[in-house]
Structure formats: structure tokens, C-alpha cells
Amino acid sequence: GFDHSLLLKKDGSVWAAGSNNYGQIGTGNPRLYSKEFEKAIAKGVENVAAGDWHTMVLKQDNSVWGTGANENGQLGDGSTTDRIAYVQVISSGARAMAAGSRHSMILQGDGSVWGTGKNYQGQLGDGTKTKKNRFFLVRKIPGAIAVAAGGYHSVALMRSGSVWAVGRNDNGQLGDGSKADTGSFVKVVSSDALAVAAGGYHSFVLREDGSVWATGCNLYGQLGDGSTTDKSSYVQ
């Protein structure tokens, strides 16, 4: 996350360390930070995601839980109240989840994409700029198999190998060839993608041939293409 870290152990337990000023460690303890990893969830977790100041976990029963900052509704529990311990936000059916800066995304088993939280740059993908405090169906994308949440943008991977993106695009992080924000998902890679990742203002795609492609902010060379020039379309 921005200033906290998570560990998922083989026994399904979740451990956290670092800043806890919003409750993002999730142990129920209100102290401001922890210098050592502390157990937050004893068992049953499949995956973890750290946003800027909130944390989301996917449990083995396909439920989703969140803790930490919630002023923009990024936990999706129907409130804007910060949490210092995990609360359930999706009871069943989740396949994957991602935590952005101030929003969260969920992929359900039926291929539908759900979102919650800050939406001022359209990063939830519902065509509006209205923030949400509870997970809602963004769109049913046939064959969606993965989601990623960046700072203020979101990325979805299709079973067909295509990649779709939505939200803030001032640095070209969507990869659609422009620097215009969009509130609806647009196709940015046509085929052969295997995995996606989203940073604060940049995005990555892993292709079937093992090559890695990137787009967006490159001020510090984070795209790895040998330059410090932003890209608005994916480059190898």
C-alpha cells in the first residue's frame, strides 16, 4: 500500500505492518502504526490487496472483506466510516479483487465487474463521476478473468486476451492512444494478454509470448523502456 504492507501465509492467515492511521492493518487495534507484522486474520484467506490507506481480502469462501480508510466508500460496506477491523462487503461469488488509491474493484465468478469508492475520474466505469459507498455492478463483461485498480484508473482482462481500461488518463495510463479520461471501459489491447497490473499512473500487460508491455507515466523510468517519456499506447 502507500505506507503499509501485507503478507498472506500458506495457512490462509493475513499479517500486516506499517501505518495504521486509518485502520488499514485491520487488527482492531487503534494504534497509529506497527513496526512488526501482526496477525490480522487467522485463516481462510485466498488473496490480499493493499490500496493507499485501505486493505481488501478475498476469502476462500469467495467473500470479500475490507478495512481502513473509507471516506470515499472504497471499502464498499455502504458507509463512509473508516474501519479498524475487517468488515464483510461481499458475501459470496467473488473471483478476484483489487484495491486502488481510493476505489476498489471486484470480479465475480460470472464475469461481471463491480466497483465502489471514488469515481471523480470515472475509474469505476459506470459512465458517471459519482462516488459510491457500496459495490455495484459496473458491467457484465463476457469472459472477464482479472481486474486491476491503479491510482485513479481500472483495468480488466478478458478470457479472449483483450484488455480494457477506464478512468484517469492524463499520463496515458489507459493505453488507448490518448490522454483523455473516460468513464466507460475502452479496449486498449486486442489479444494475447495473460495478466494485467496497474500502478498509480501507469499500467502493465504480460503477453502470451512472455513479453511485457507498459503505458502511462514514465517520469522515473517506471515503464522500463529506457526513457523517461510518458506513453499513451502500450510499448514493449
Side-chain angles (χ1 to χ4, degrees):
F2 185 78
D3 49 15
H4 73 293
S5 302
L6 303 174
L7 291 177
L8 172 63
K9 298 185 76 173
K10 289 182 179 179
D11 63 4
S13 63
V14 175
W15 299 66
S19 176
N20 193 42
N21 51 334
Y22 294 99
Q24 57 265 53
I25 288 180
T27 59
N29 191 323
R31 65 183 179 179
L32 294 180
Y33 63 90
S34 175
K35 293 187 289 185
E36 297 180 346
F37 279 97
E38 298 182 20
K39 185 185 289 187
I41 298 178
K43 61 181 180 179
V45 175
E46 179 74 21
N47 209 345
V48 297
D52 272 8
W53 297 291
H54 73 292
T55 301
M56 307 296 290
V57 303
L58 173 65
K59 288 195 172 183
Q60 294 166 357
D61 63 3
N62 301 113
S63 63
V64 177
W65 300 64
T67 190
N70 197 29
E71 78 281 6
N72 288 287
Q74 56 262 57
L75 298 186
D77 68 342
S79 79
T80 54
T81 303
D82 297 347
R83 306 294 181 181
I84 64 172
Y86 283 93
V87 294
Q88 186 180 82
V89 294
I90 294 289
S91 60
S92 63
R95 177 176 180 175
M97 48 83 215
S101 179
R102 292 165 180 82
H103 74 292
S104 302
M105 305 295 288
I106 286 177
L107 173 66
Q108 294 278 36
D110 63 0
S112 60
V113 176
W114 297 62
T116 190
K118 191 172 184 178
N119 196 28
Y120 297 160
Q121 283 78 33
Q123 58 263 52
L124 298 185
D126 68 336
T128 77
K129 294 186 177 181
T130 304
K131 72 178 181 179
K132 309 294 193 299
N133 60 21
R134 188 180 298 278
F135 279 100
F136 71 102
L137 176 64
V138 177
R139 62 174 294 184
K140 192 168 185 177
I141 308 175
I145 58 173
V147 289
Y152 304 94
H153 69 291
S154 303
V155 183
L157 171 65
M158 306 297 114
R159 189 176 303 279
S160 65
S162 64
V163 176
W164 298 65
V166 71
R168 186 170 178 172
N169 197 30
D170 54 334
N171 293 107
Q173 55 264 53
L174 299 187
D176 67 344
S178 80
K179 291 192 175 181
D181 297 352
T182 177
S184 299
F185 278 95
V186 294
K187 184 187 290 188
V188 294
V189 174
S190 296
S191 62
D192 301 327
L194 283 181
V196 293
Y201 303 95
H202 65 298
S203 305
F204 277 89
V205 168
L206 171 66
R207 307 293 288 263
E208 288 181 357
D209 62 2
S211 62
V212 176
W213 297 66
T215 189
C217 184
N218 200 25
L219 179 63
Y220 302 102
Q222 57 263 54
L223 301 188
D225 68 339
S227 80
T228 54
T229 303
D230 292 357
K231 302 297 189 298
S232 59
S233 296
Y234 277 94
V235 294
Q236 187 171 335

